[in-house]
Amino acid sequence: MKSSEIRSLYLDFFREKGHSVVPGIGLIPFDDPTLLFTSAGMVQFKKFWATDTPLPYTRATTCQKCMRAGGKDSDIDKIGITGRHHTFFEMLGNFSFGDYFKKEAIEWAWEFVIERLKIPEELIWVSYYEKDDETKEIWKKFLPEERIIPLSEKDNFWGPAGDTGPCGPCTELYVDFGIEKGCGSNCKPGCECSRFLEFWNLVFPQYDKQKDGSLAPLKRRGVDTGMGLERITRIMQKTNSNYETDLFLPIVKEIERISGYSYDSEEKKPSFRITSDHIRAAVFLIDENVLPSNEGRGYVLRRIIRR
Ligand code: SER
């Protein structure tokens, strides 16, 4: 399945479930001085949970351009080392603002993954926030308990994006690439090895983190999910990393042509990954009029181009 088909399938599925299909915003959040870049699909909706502003819709779905380079959410140091992180990537998401909550979010995630993407259900594992028994009970309708893994706040309490704003417990879907990719007999989601790939995070925003670090209740609780398009494409196209999917392969091939090196060389692979990742990031930043400079966003771009 092509990445473009996965994008459409996702947005169409949530349209069928009553969501408005809303355009993503740019990489520079328009009215959010707390963020360097748009780092998640939820960024454009923060006020819908945190204030009682009138809502144009209570359910939305988007495909959002994201940048995780510079600032708190930066993944820049992982690029090239893993085959699953990016500075620039696309996040598919469905959102509820005071509308549906955990039950529907989980049921629809399962339906999409099993019935639309047709991923064999025995490959799916999930994690949940260890204090969130409600989420565990919902998952038990679909999965044996051995594949429902409790994790701590570090892994399964998401947000906020930046230092303040909506956050809450989350539950994540993983695909199992097989025991032979694991690091040992007791390897589970949450382990840093290559056996499990987390591809969809379902967050249940309930708190509004304040500047002093305290958690106030949100005006409207809801749902904020994020599925990495590059990761789900890798799963559907059965490639060894995100960099061999149709989202990256044309760039990798062009770098091979220009450089004369082969991506198949283990020694060169990290350089191919860094270069192809950073080219996408630079192109999309420049498209939004960010130019290399000595500070802020321009400095991030300068670092990306230099590297
Ligand atoms: N905001 C969550 C994330 O970025 C889910 O969309 O993972």
Side-chain angles (χ1 to χ4, degrees):
M1 191 181 287
K2 288 190 201 147
S3 51
S4 54
E5 289 168 320
I6 299 171
R7 222 189 259 114
S8 308
L9 208 60
Y10 186 96
L11 298 174
D12 287 345
F13 176 80
F14 283 101
R15 191 202 318 261
E16 280 171 33
K17 304 289 184 198
H19 293 61
S20 299
V21 180
V22 176
I25 57 170
L27 289 172
I28 317 296
F30 46 84
D31 60 351
D32 192 337
T34 69
L35 291 176
L36 198 57
F37 297 116
T38 300
S39 56
M42 57 82 76
V43 166
Q44 67 167 313
F45 301 121
K46 281 158 89 172
K47 287 197 178 114
F48 290 4
W49 292 294
T51 70
D52 47 20
T53 186
L55 296 172
Y57 35 73
T58 60
R59 299 176 182 188
T61 183
T62 62
C63 180
Q64 176 63 55
K65 293 187 279 188
C66 297
M67 184 73 73
R68 292 193 176 173
K72 169 174 165 266
D73 301 315
S74 182
D75 279 332
I76 196 163
D77 296 329
K78 299 181 187 138
I79 314 304
I81 298 171
T82 79
R84 64 179 194 274
H85 287 96
H86 301 292
T87 53
F88 171 87
F89 65 100
E90 291 176 73
M91 186 184 283
L92 295 162
N94 55 286
F95 307 91
S96 152
F97 316 108
D99 189 323
Y100 66 89
F101 202 42
K102 297 179 182 180
K103 181 174 173 291
E104 291 85 346
I106 291 173
E107 285 175 1
W108 291 338
W110 186 257
E111 184 182 341
F112 183 71
V113 166
I114 306 301
E115 289 177 26
R116 302 294 168 100
L117 295 180
K118 303 199 186 302
I119 297 177
E121 59 177 82
E122 61 279 10
L123 300 187
I124 304 294
W125 291 58
V126 298
S127 66
Y128 70 99
Y129 178 46
E130 59 196 359
K131 294 182 188 153
D132 183 3
D133 292 333
E134 190 187 349
T135 291
K136 180 181 179 185
E137 287 308 308
I138 301 169
W139 277 124
K140 274 164 68 179
K141 284 194 286 184
F142 303 108
L143 286 153
E145 219 167 321
E146 320 67 275
R147 301 212 311 269
I148 308 175
I149 309 298
L151 291 178
S152 68
E153 196 169 318
K154 178 178 128 319
D155 288 295
N156 276 163
F157 190 97
W158 191 88
D163 294 327
T164 56
C167 55
C170 64
T171 176
E172 295 174 304
L173 286 86
Y174 294 77
V175 74
D176 181 2
F177 288 134
I179 197 155
E180 60 288 356
K181 299 265 186 192
C183 55
S185 55
N186 201 23
C187 168
K188 288 187 180 137
C191 180
E192 285 299 314
C193 77
S194 315
R195 175 167 172 189
F196 295 101
L197 177 67
E198 182 249 310
F199 64 95
W200 200 353
N201 185 13
L202 317 181
V203 185
F204 307 118
Q206 285 162 62
Y207 307 105
D208 189 5
K209 189 167 184 187
Q210 308 292 304
K211 283 200 183 107
D212 64 7
S214 62
L215 295 177
L218 280 174
K219 289 269 187 267
R220 302 179 179 114
R221 68 174 193 183
V223 172
D224 150 31
T225 90
M227 180 194 273
L229 178 67
E230 292 75 4
R231 291 188 184 185
I232 191 66
T233 302
R234 165 189 177 175
I235 294 166
M236 298 305 290
Q237 296 181 359
K238 298 190 170 58
T239 59
N240 278 327
S241 82
N242 298 6
Y243 292 89
E244 291 108 61
T245 64
D246 66 356
L247 289 159
F248 278 93
L249 209 53
I251 305 172
V252 167
K253 293 274 170 225
E254 186 64 5
I255 299 171
E256 283 187 323
R257 193 187 66 76
I258 295 168
S259 69
Y261 291 118
S262 165
Y263 176 77
D264 293 335
S265 139
E266 285 309 316
E267 189 203 336
K268 294 286 178 222
K269 204 159 269 179
S271 306
F272 270 94
R273 291 180 175 176
I274 293 168
T275 311
S276 55
D277 173 272
H278 286 16
I279 283 175
R280 296 197 334 158
V283 165
F284 279 92
L285 284 175
I286 293 167
D287 176 57
E288 292 192 31
N289 297 324
V290 177
L291 293 174
S293 75
N294 290 334
E295 54 181 16
R297 296 174 178 124
Y299 184 64
V300 175
L301 174 59
R302 172 166 283 175
R303 273 184 63 199
I304 285 174
I305 294 174
R306 277 195 183 143
R307 193 162 177 229

